[in-house]
Amino acid sequence: MSRYGNTPEGMALSAMEFIRIFRAENFHRLVLSMKSSDTGVMIRATRRLAELMTAEGFAYPLHLGVTEAGEGEDGRIRSAAGIGALISEGLGDTIRVSLSEAPENEIPVAKEILRFLAGSGGRVTSPAGPLSFRTHGKLYKPEVVTNDKGVFIDESGKPCNYNVITFENNSESIIKDRHNEKIIINAVFDEDDPEKLAIDSASLLGKYFITRHADAVSISNKGKVQGDKLKELSFAILQATGARITRVTYLSCPTCGRTRFDLQEAVKKVKAVTGHLTGLKIAVMGCIVNGPGEMADADYGYVGAANGKVHIYRGMEQVLNNIPQESAAEELLKIIEEDQKGK
């Protein structure tokens, strides 16, 4: 932290430091994980660690996961985007989908990511090469476009004349660094299950928006999921990859023995009272042990303290202590509204 700050480079170099300590003690039963709630940080750190290990002749297995991914569709999309991006590059030996839900809900999502990326159900055998991260600064604002009989319509209702790359039946063309071209990713699915469609589309498309290679997305489906739901899914993928923020980003940890309240209900209540806001990052964390550190990137935090009690944070500053869970979401909203009035 003192040399590199809270960065992917610092994460990878820290892991290498610990590897050397273990090796000095002749201990080699290691699995390494570069987890982050930010899919871009997770990908950069994992790639960098793989490079550093290869340079020193190490070959320890890598565990993939997006931490504090949240719950519901958002949690599934964020997990699939980050994990899918690295698996498609041939990185990763084990995976864990982290959801603020019953633990048994996580395994089917993880299996669906692997099933989709493997195509026939076997191991991914032909990974695509890694895409470099393109820099757009503040100008990167990918669009959600619709496909009307082969004519792509942008959000203003006008034809969009970008170059089109179509993915259908999980067959994809590798997009190389096409810096001077505007690209629409046109993904065509045949899926009736909304959950599977969300996981599959994020697994396939997430990497192009995490690395800033695509300028627009169009999702079509031959199955039952149609209309506005496909647009909502497109916006959700852009949100999960940090490419375009159109609503609140919620971070929340998985359930564990340290959680001091009903985490699933807390997440739902916080979403219910803050869902009308835009552009904020709100963390709902189950315990005081890991909560404050793991919500470091959030604008506001809702962290479990004692049983049924919550601490409220603005950034890393604790502003309310031991608020009863029953009123904590409303107290959080009051602080946010007061802050916004002062701007």
Side-chain angles (χ1 to χ4, degrees):
M1 289 291 288
S2 61
R3 291 186 182 183
Y4 298 95
N6 188 13
T7 63
E9 182 76 7
M11 290 172 65
L13 289 170
S14 176
M16 290 297 293
E17 181 180 353
F18 279 97
I19 289 173
R20 295 187 189 99
I21 292 170
F22 283 119
R23 288 177 65 87
E25 300 298 328
N26 198 31
F27 186 90
H28 300 281
R29 296 177 62 188
L30 305 177
V31 180
L32 304 162
S33 186
M34 301 284 100
K35 286 195 175 183
S36 172
S37 58
D38 184 310
T39 52
V41 170
M42 171 233 187
I43 290 171
R44 287 178 187 267
T46 304
R47 284 180 177 179
R48 183 62 177 139
L49 178 60
E51 291 172 358
L52 292 170
M53 285 201 297
T54 299
E56 295 201 26
F58 304 158
Y60 295 109
L62 294 169
H63 173 68
L64 308 182
V66 180
T67 191
E68 288 99 41
E71 55 87 52
E73 185 178 80
D74 288 345
R76 286 157 175 78
I77 288 173
R78 189 179 297 145
S79 293
I83 293 171
L86 288 169
I87 288 176
S88 69
E89 296 177 13
L91 293 174
D93 299 275
T94 61
I95 69 172
R96 190 266 173 100
V97 170
S98 172
L99 299 175
S100 302
E101 300 178 16
E104 57 268 28
N105 292 351
E106 297 175 345
I107 295 295
V109 181
K111 285 185 173 180
E112 177 59 22
I113 294 169
L114 296 180
R115 183 206 67 79
F116 177 76
L117 290 175
S120 62
R123 183 171 173 80
V124 181
T125 55
S126 301
L131 293 168
S132 62
F133 280 73
R134 288 171 62 180
T135 302
H136 287 257
K138 296 182 179 180
L139 300 177
Y140 188 61
K141 185 182 176 182
E143 287 203 73
V144 172
V145 302
T146 54
N147 186 352
D148 183 10
K149 298 178 181 179
V151 177
F152 291 90
I153 308 299
D154 67 18
E155 293 173 32
S156 68
K158 297 178 181 178
C160 188
N161 296 319
Y162 296 172
N163 291 310
V164 179
I165 295 180
T166 298
F167 303 115
E168 189 165 4
N169 299 323
N170 199 19
S171 62
E172 57 173 295
S173 304
I174 298 174
I175 299 180
K176 300 192 183 293
D177 290 336
R178 301 162 71 164
H179 292 289
N180 298 318
E181 296 182 26
K182 295 281 191 177
I183 298 171
I184 296 172
I185 299 288
N186 175 39
V188 183
F189 296 91
D190 188 355
E191 181 57 66
D192 293 333
D193 186 329
E195 180 173 330
K196 284 188 176 182
L197 179 61
I199 296 168
D200 295 353
S201 57
S203 298
L204 175 66
L205 304 177
K207 61 188 172 186
Y208 299 110
F209 295 98
I210 294 170
T211 58
R212 310 299 191 251
H213 273 264
D215 303 282
V217 58
S218 171
I219 297 178
S220 303
N221 185 36
K222 299 174 184 177
K224 294 179 180 178
V225 184
Q226 296 289 334
D228 288 342
K229 179 58 183 173
L230 297 177
K231 282 187 179 180
E232 292 170 9
L233 178 56
S234 297
F235 278 111
I237 291 173
L238 298 183
Q239 178 90 15
T241 56
R244 182 174 171 187
I245 305 302
T246 53
R247 48 193 171 89
V248 175
T249 296
Y250 296 97
L251 309 178
S252 57
C253 55
T255 54
C256 79
R258 288 194 297 263
T259 302
R260 296 303 184 186
F261 50 72
D262 186 332
L263 184 65
Q264 290 178 256
E265 286 304 312
V267 173
K268 290 178 182 177
K269 190 166 184 182
V270 170
K271 282 186 172 183
V273 301
T274 61
H276 62 289
L277 304 171
T278 59
L280 294 176
K281 188 179 288 187
I282 299 175
V284 182
M285 312 304 294
C287 76
I288 203 65
V289 178
N290 291 334
E294 294 186 345
M295 54 150 276
D297 292 333
D299 299 300
Y300 297 93
Y302 177 111
V303 178
N307 288 331
K309 301 291 185 180
V310 176
H311 294 339
I312 304 296
Y313 287 75
R314 178 191 294 113
M316 293 297 291
E317 176 193 3
Q318 188 175 313
V319 291
L320 291 177
N321 302 330
N322 294 316
I323 303 299
Q325 183 186 350
E326 292 75 17
S327 60
E330 287 78 9
E331 293 296 328
L332 171 63
L333 179 60
K334 287 180 185 177
I335 290 173
I336 295 172
E337 289 178 337
E338 289 172 3
D339 290 348
Q340 291 186 337
K341 285 179 183 177
K343 289 183 178 179

